[in-house]
């Protein structure tokens, strides 16, 4: 595909080198169009060498080739990373003073902006309005990441990880539908840790890869995403709001809070069913080599609680209490669609169907565990059980494929 990588004048311009490499290494043809001031951060020779193409900043170079029209017209994707407050303002108002802004005006392909700036600039009403204008026109503006900025200050404004920007661009180029536009979704990911003492915990092997793929694909499909991440060491998915938790009780709190006004909740996290009855304040010591028994108590079942709350709200509203094809947006109380995950070793479908009914969810993604599938691998294969519908088989493939199947089914139930 032909990609135009616009680079504006932010310190994060150096990270765009990595983004450029990700595009070229996966076979895309990239033309880099920096703004003049962006070259103060990363020079023209770097962009030319990394992209294998000449680099110019204004419309007066190579005029006979009409680059200000041609680059935009021929592009399959334009991505601006980092996008400064200045370039967002120019794009929102249709200014066309240099090659990047003229390219943005002539492009008819998807346009992705990855803003990076200080928090004050990002939150200024002028920037907020410019971002809203660009989004209304169909551009994708990725929310900046939260974290350390150029100086000692922290807040929203960091350029998301280049791999995350690349993933969004990849999904945009793959032609994902924007069927979650205007929807709020919550995804839980990772595995909970139940503390025994200040240094030890009971945990599980969940890597968070499937939950993160769900969050990323939901962002790409236009949703406002809250990702509740339990002990995951993966880069934040660009554009998602990440809430970090450790234990099942913390995860419950975060999921219930975020789902109060959400359209859909996907519980991809592996939640511990039990936790130690006491969390010792001091490290547990060996007692003459004798193991100390650990007493466990039950954790709340968050998925079942979401289903039960919704059932009660629907009953109170006098609408059907059973999830099914009638579970559409606006009926009862949020969340309107609830999705669970289940790892099964035996009688996969029968156990899955029973769990779907028991937990009151609309969709249940059933994984057969073992065979090198699921935990920690980039691939997954699953059956999605549908309340009131036929199961959908998802053959072995990238976790994004399973995520897309789930969101397609969720979007259909939100119509
Ligand atoms: N889940 C949850 N709260 C828990 C445990 C699990 O919300 N305390 C959610 C998981 O996020 C996942 C689904 O429930 O979506 C997985 O259920 P599972 O743990 O397999 O269900 P159980 O009822 O514990 O089934 P089993 O009897 O097979 O252990």
């Amino acid at each position: 595909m032909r990609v135009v990588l616009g680079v504006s004048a932010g310190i994060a311009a150096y990270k765009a080198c990595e983004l450029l490499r990700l595009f070229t290494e996966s076979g895309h043809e990239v033309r880099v169009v920096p703004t003049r001031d962006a070259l103060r951060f990363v020079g023209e020779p770097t962009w030319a060498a990394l992209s294998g193409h000449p680099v110019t900043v204004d419309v007066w170079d190579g005029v006979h080739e009409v680059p200000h029209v041609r680059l935009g017209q021929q592009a399959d994707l334009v991505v601006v990373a980092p996008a400064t407050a200045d370039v967002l303002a120019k794009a929102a108002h249709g200014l066309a003073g240099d090659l990047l802004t003229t390219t943005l005006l002539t492009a008819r392909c998807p346009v992705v902006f990855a803003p990076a700036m200080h928090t004050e600039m990002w939150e200024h009403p002028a920037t907020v309005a410019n971002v809203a204008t660009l989004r209304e026109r169909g551009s994708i503006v990725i929310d900046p990441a939260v974290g350390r900025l150029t100086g000692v200050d922290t807040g929203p404004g960091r350029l998301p990880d280049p791999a995350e920007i690349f993933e969004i661009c990849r999904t945009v180029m793959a032609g994902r539908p924007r069927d979650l536009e205007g929807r709020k979704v919550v995804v839980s990911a990772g595995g909970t840790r139940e503390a025994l003492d200040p240094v030890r915990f009971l945990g599980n092997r969940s890597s968070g890869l499937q939950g993160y793929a769900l969050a990323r694909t939901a962002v790409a499909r236009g949703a406002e995403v809250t990702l509740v991440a339990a002990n995951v060491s993966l880069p934040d998915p660009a554009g998602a709001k990440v809430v970090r938790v450790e234990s099942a009780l913390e995860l419950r709190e975060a999921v219930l809070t975020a789902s109060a006004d959400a359209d859909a909740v996907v519980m991809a996290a592996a939640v511990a069913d039990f936790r130690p009855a006491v969390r010792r304040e001091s490290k547990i010591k060996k007692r003459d080599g004798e193991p100390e028994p650990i007493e466990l108590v039950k954790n709340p079942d968050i998925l079942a609680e979401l289903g039960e709350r919704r059932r009660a709200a629907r009953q109170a509203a006098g609408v059907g209490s059973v999830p099914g094809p009638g579970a559409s947006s606006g009926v009862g109380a949020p969340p309107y669609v609830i999705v669970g995950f289940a790892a099964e070793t035996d009688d996969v479908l029968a156990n899955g169907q029973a769990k779907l009914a028991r937990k009151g969810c609309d969709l249940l993604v059933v994984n057969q565990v073992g065979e090198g599938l699921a935990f920690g691998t980039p691939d997954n294969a699953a059956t999605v059980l549908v309340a009131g519908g036929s199961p959908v088989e998802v053959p072995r493939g990238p976790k994004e494929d399973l995520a897309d199947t789930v969101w397609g089914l969720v979007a259909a139930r939100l119509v």
Side-chain angles (χ1 to χ4, degrees):
M1 295 248 187
R2 275 175 294 207
V3 176
V4 170
L5 171 59
V7 182
S8 54
I11 184 70
Y14 74 94
K15 293 191 192 169
C17 299
E18 173 69 7
L19 181 61
L20 170 56
R21 202 185 54 81
L22 290 168
F23 276 113
T24 52
E25 283 184 359
S26 44
H28 299 290
E29 179 83 13
V30 187
R31 298 296 301 258
V32 182
V33 183
T35 62
R36 187 173 303 284
D37 282 343
L39 296 180
R40 291 168 178 259
F41 292 104
V42 179
E44 179 269 335
T46 304
W47 299 121
L50 287 177
S51 69
H53 288 289
V55 169
T56 60
V57 299
D58 67 36
V59 294
W60 304 109
D61 292 326
V63 176
H64 61 287
E65 289 179 336
V66 211
H68 70 289
V69 177
R70 200 174 38 81
L71 277 177
Q73 278 178 341
Q74 294 181 350
D76 297 303
L77 176 83
V78 178
V79 49
V80 186
T84 56
D86 182 65
V87 95
L88 293 173
K90 285 177 173 151
H93 294 277
L95 298 189
D98 61 8
L99 189 56
L100 177 55
T101 47
T102 50
T103 300
L104 286 166
L105 276 182
T106 51
R108 292 296 174 267
C109 58
V111 178
V112 176
F113 292 94
M117 63 195 75
H118 270 81
T119 307
E120 290 85 348
M121 297 172 87
W122 174 246
E123 290 177 348
H124 192 282
T127 307
V128 170
N130 291 331
V131 168
T133 302
L134 291 169
R135 284 180 174 155
E136 267 162 36
R137 290 196 199 120
S139 296
I140 294 158
V141 184
I142 304 171
D143 280 338
V146 178
R148 182 85 188 262
L149 302 173
T150 323
V152 289
D153 40 352
T154 59
R158 271 171 73 89
L159 188 74
D161 195 84
E164 293 299 324
I165 301 172
F166 177 68
E167 191 52 40
I168 290 198
C169 293
R170 206 175 66 86
T171 59
V172 168
M173 288 190 289
R176 276 210 171 81
R178 302 274 300 168
D179 52 1
L180 294 176
E181 196 91 63
R183 301 292 188 183
K184 286 189 179 178
V185 306
V186 180
V187 177
S188 70
T192 59
R193 289 181 182 175
E194 309 300 322
L196 282 156
D197 68 13
V199 290
R200 304 185 182 93
F201 58 84
L202 301 178
N204 62 70
R205 291 185 192 280
S206 178
S207 63
L209 283 169
Q210 184 62 65
Y212 273 50
L214 279 154
R216 246 191 332 261
T217 46
V219 171
R221 293 172 90 120
E224 187 182 325
V225 180
T226 302
L227 174 62
V228 181
N231 311 298
V232 181
S233 55
L234 296 169
D236 286 356
K241 178 182 170 209
V242 182
V243 181
R244 288 178 204 291
V245 297
E246 201 171 307
S247 65
L249 291 180
E250 288 170 10
L251 188 120
R252 173 181 174 275
E253 186 66 34
V255 166
L256 293 184
T257 303
S259 58
D261 64 347
D263 293 284
V265 177
V266 181
M267 285 291 297
V271 185
D273 289 322
F274 304 99
R275 67 177 184 278
V278 280
R279 179 196 185 281
R280 300 292 182 84
E281 292 303 321
S282 324
K283 191 174 162 227
I284 300 167
K285 305 297 279 180
K286 287 188 286 293
R287 295 182 313 174
D288 304 326
E290 280 303 307
E292 192 175 329
I294 299 169
E295 193 194 332
L296 298 175
V297 293
K298 219 167 174 333
N299 269 331
D301 187 325
I302 306 156
L303 184 60
E305 192 172 341
L306 286 166
E308 177 51 31
R309 283 184 171 204
R310 185 180 61 172
R311 193 198 58 76
R314 286 205 181 135
Q315 208 166 31
V319 290
S321 61
V322 184
S328 60
S329 171
V331 178
Y336 304 109
V337 181
I338 300 174
V339 184
F341 271 67
E344 302 284 349
T345 48
D346 318 292
D347 291 336
V348 177
L349 289 187
N351 282 339
Q353 288 290 2
K355 202 172 276 183
L356 176 76
R358 193 167 69 242
K359 299 214 182 194
C361 40
D362 302 277
L363 306 172
L364 189 77
V365 182
V366 189
N367 276 124
Q368 173 135 35
V369 283
E371 302 168 30
L373 289 171
F375 289 119
T377 66
D379 282 1
N380 208 347
T383 306
V384 186
L385 303 178
V386 181
S390 310
V392 177
E393 285 295 332
V394 183
R396 186 178 188 151
K399 287 183 169 166
E400 275 76 16
D401 288 359
L402 175 56
D404 270 319
T405 303
V406 170
W407 292 127
L409 292 164
V410 167
R413 293 172 94 84
L414 285 172
V415 179

